[in-house]
């Protein structure tokens, strides 16, 4: 059974989270400080690391050093204020975040997406045509040129890139945006529209981010032909 390591305060409702994880056959392990987390990480690599950014100096010292040299481990940050995770994201120390308050459903979806990325980590970077997505480096290029994406656009693209060809519902994609403050289906559609403007040669006839009417969106896979009837 795979392990999820949590470096969090005791005040979080971990019983609800653990119930969700046990249903997915993941074991929950909790530690109280950075050095303790590093000791566990050096013994056995978990499937996911959850970090409470409100803990004092949680990303200082040995844990910061460990994360800088082991970015193949997906990291989910929990925060009470946006300022807590902004620097961690900028320094590429975490992959995703949840901003309090969040529901058990949001927790479950976000963790599932990160675990899915972990289980398919050997497929990174993802390449679709001239589009290249590097998860750990949070880098996207098109025909070799960097593409500047917002945090929300990148979150959507990484979520879909974890499983090219799979249809993601708007609810699933909305969950990947919730911590960025975008909590509606309309926000998903708006970010998809902006993302297409940056990566599609013709945003009105997309070849990369495809619409599945009545359900959501998917990232094209190698099985798709260009201009395969997708609509914006």
């Amino acid at each position: 059974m795979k392990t999820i390591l949590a470096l969090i305060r005791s005040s979080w409702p971990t019983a609800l989270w653990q119930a969700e994880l046990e249903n997915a056959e993941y074991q929950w392990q909790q530690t109280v400080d950075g050095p303790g987390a590093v000791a566990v990480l050096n013994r056995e690599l978990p499937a996911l690391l959850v970090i409470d950014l409100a803990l004092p100096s949680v990303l200082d010292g040995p844990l910061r050093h460990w994360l800088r040299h082991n970015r193949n481990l997906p990291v989910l940050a929990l925060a009470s204020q946006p300022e807590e995770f902004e620097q961690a994201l900028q320094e590429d120390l975490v992959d995703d975040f949840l901003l309090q308050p969040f529901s058990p459903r949001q927790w479950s979806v976000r963790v599932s997406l990160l675990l899915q990325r972990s289980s398919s980590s050997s497929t990174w970077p993802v390449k679709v045509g001239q589009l290249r997505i590097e998860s750990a480096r949070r880098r996207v290029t098109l025909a070799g040129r960097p593409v500047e994406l917002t945090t929300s656009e990148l979150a959507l693209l990484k979520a879909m890139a974890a499983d090219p060809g799979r249809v993601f519902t708007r609810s699933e994609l909305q969950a990947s945006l919730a911590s960025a403050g975008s909590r509606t289906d309309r926000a998903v559609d708006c970010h998809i529209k902006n993302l297409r403007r940056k990566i599609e040669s013709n945003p009105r006839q997309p070849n990369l981010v495809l619409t599945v009417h009545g359900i959501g969106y998917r990232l094209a896979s190698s099985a798709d032909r260009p201009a395969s009837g997708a609509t914006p």
Side-chain angles (χ1 to χ4, degrees), residues 106 110 156 169-179 182-185 188:
Q106 289 173 322
R110 192 65 56 83
L156 284 175
T169 67
R170 282 181 171 82
S171 295
E172 289 177 309
L173 295 174
Q174 179 184 330
S176 72
L177 294 176
S179 57
S182 302
R183 299 177 181 271
T184 66
D185 288 351
V188 171

Side-chain angles (χ1 to χ4, degrees), residues 46-167:
L48 173 69
L49 174 62
V50 181
I51 298 178
D52 182 357
L53 295 181
L55 289 172
S57 305
V58 65
L59 283 179
D60 291 342
L63 183 57
R64 175 185 292 272
H65 182 269
W66 194 97
L67 289 174
R68 285 189 178 278
H69 292 84
N70 296 272
R71 287 304 288 118
N72 58 321
L73 172 66
V75 180
L76 175 64
L78 309 180
S80 300
Q81 300 294 330
E83 295 78 11
E84 293 175 352
F85 57 72
E86 288 176 353
Q87 184 175 356
L89 282 175
Q90 291 173 1
E91 296 184 26
D92 195 25
L93 297 174
V94 302
D95 296 286
D96 208 343
F97 52 88
L98 278 169
L99 183 62
Q100 197 179 23
F102 54 85
S103 68
R105 172 61 179 166
Q106 289 173 322
W107 157 265
S108 177
V109 171
R110 192 65 56 83
V111 168
S112 295
L113 286 171
L114 281 171
L115 290 173
Q116 185 179 58
R117 294 177 203 174
S118 176
S119 63
S120 60
S121 60
S122 61
T123 65
W124 295 99
V126 171
K127 298 179 183 178
V128 181
Q130 294 185 312
L131 182 70
R132 178 185 173 97
I133 307 156
E134 301 177 63
S135 178
R137 298 179 61 187
R138 304 177 64 82
R139 173 181 167 87
V140 176
T141 57
L142 184 65
R145 297 187 296 273
V147 180
E148 296 297 328
L149 300 180
T150 66
T151 299
S152 295
E153 292 162 1
L154 181 60
L156 284 175
L157 187 58
K158 286 177 63 177
M160 292 185 288
D163 195 356
R166 176 197 159 191
V167 179

